[in-house]
Amino acid sequence: MIKKLLFVAIIGIPTLATSQISFTNSNSKLGNSSLKSGCAIGVADMNGDGLDDIVRLSGATNLQIEYQTSGDFTLFNYGSIPGNNSEWGMAIADVDRNGFNDIIVGGAYNGLKLLKANAVGNNYSATTLGGASIFLQNANFIDIDNNGTIDFFGCSDESVSSAYGNDGAGNFTLDNANLINAVSTVPSDNSGNYGSIWTDYDNDGDQDLYISKCRLGVNNPNDGRRINLLFQNDGSGNFTEVGVAAGLVPYAQSWSASFEDIDNDGDLDCVLINHDLTSKIYDNNGDGTFTDITDVSGIATELNNMGSGGIQVIMEDFDNDALIDILVTTRSGSHHLFRNTGNKTFAEVSSPFPTSNRIQSAAAGDLNNDGFVDIIAGFGSGYNSPSNSVSDVLFLNNGNSNHWSEVALIGNPSNINGIGARIEIYGSWGKQIREVRSGESYGIMNSMKTHFGLGSSTSITKIVVKWPSGNVDELLSPNIDESITIVEGSTLNINESTSSIFKIHPNPAKNHVTVDGFQNTDAAYELYDITGKLIMAKTAISATNNQIELSSLNSGIYFLKLYSNNQRYIHKVIKE
């Protein structure tokens, strides 16, 4: 069996002074600085270069991608989504395992449009999924049946939500009966599904589903159309609704939720946005139940005063202090950024974004590759309509001197994006955990590259990846302030390393790579494609014979494995 590979890309960043969380308007870096998004905004690596890109819908209808380059962005304008109707939700994943991510969007009964990347990732072809027409609120890509292919879950406003199975080639079929039938516990017409998030809330190694229910105009808190649902996965594809027993049903009009570990105790806590009651913070008790800690969170007043304005909740460590912070976008009043101050408490950050406008929608990722989480923000109106006057803004994080680590995954046999995987990172802070998700909160797509702040710590004990397949990879003592891509099955043997002794660089035409760094020794190499298939090998390469020819290869992502002095060195190669 071919052993999968691991690649570590080293990123150098300057040391910055410690400061409060703050951002800079960086629209001058965008190819289109005047675009106005609706609700659906995404951040993902769309061209396979390891950098987060920006995916937006101008006027909520026209797809544009901003590819992150060296400090700036290059614009790709796909144009109108089929149907030319307003899209409400977006999710991104590589549904056909060709090495490039695909996009799904949908809205009010206008079809679920799947845009699949071509073989070189520079354009897309659109198809509309079959099955019942739904009013899509939120979109998720997730391997529901854990067979290694990415399925789709469409959270529907006015009917039962829709689950689609993937045949492995990116063709989807509606299959609620065999995947998940997310019906209301209290009998109803199954409407009112707004925010959806897949998460392993009970730490048993499989993905569960939480749906925030909000049926506007329904005032009875016991009506099934507004009782939140938590579907517990038994690991064999059977889902049981346990929301009340878990303590995650506030009997409110709930809009969206996020699950992250706010206290670094190894389980995922919940922040829930409500419209008719105070929004909530729930502490995971570690036994499958939650405790409402809103009143002692330090921001109970702010959450209560938010009223019916909250739309999305994004939880990231924005100041890299090893504690998860909270960003809430709103349709009225003002957006809020709450800094984690430790001991399960938070404090509002005063004016972190240099704007007098209310952020209506946002997506998060490292958009200048400096190890700090940035925001692409939209300033819409209503619930999902684009602004008539205010353009989106790229807010780059000003950063500080704290350290960080970022981890991206390539799965096999798990789904190629590693969606549903749990990443654990150990150090002086204890243990931090993250999950890989596609489609979160309400309508948005955050980066699948998981981000960890390390504070002032200068070392990581180990990184552990728990894959949906059950495989576990462990990386001991990785360097800090680096972006790491781990391919499933890539755990290194004791005599193996990812040292950067060898340097590789492409020639200008990208037809070969040159290997430098030889120290009076020969080496052998193997070249694998993104699925782990051996493409070519050579028994000898040296300082005088150091070019590897790529002209016969198709464009795509490859992994170069060099052997020298009983050690192994891994590098990622992109053939354009």
Side-chain angles (χ1 to χ4, degrees), residues 448-466:
M448 287 183 283
K449 181 185 292 185
T450 55
H451 173 267
F452 298 85
L454 309 181
S456 59
S457 296
T458 57
S459 65
I460 299 169
T461 304
K462 64 180 177 179
I463 296 175
V464 177
V465 180
K466 297 179 178 178

Side-chain angles (χ1 to χ4, degrees), residues 35-38 57-62 84-87 384-387:
L35 188 148
K36 301 175 181 65
S37 294
L57 299 173
S58 177
T61 60
N62 294 284
N84 198 32
N85 294 310
S86 180
E87 311 297 346
N384 80 317
S385 299
S387 170

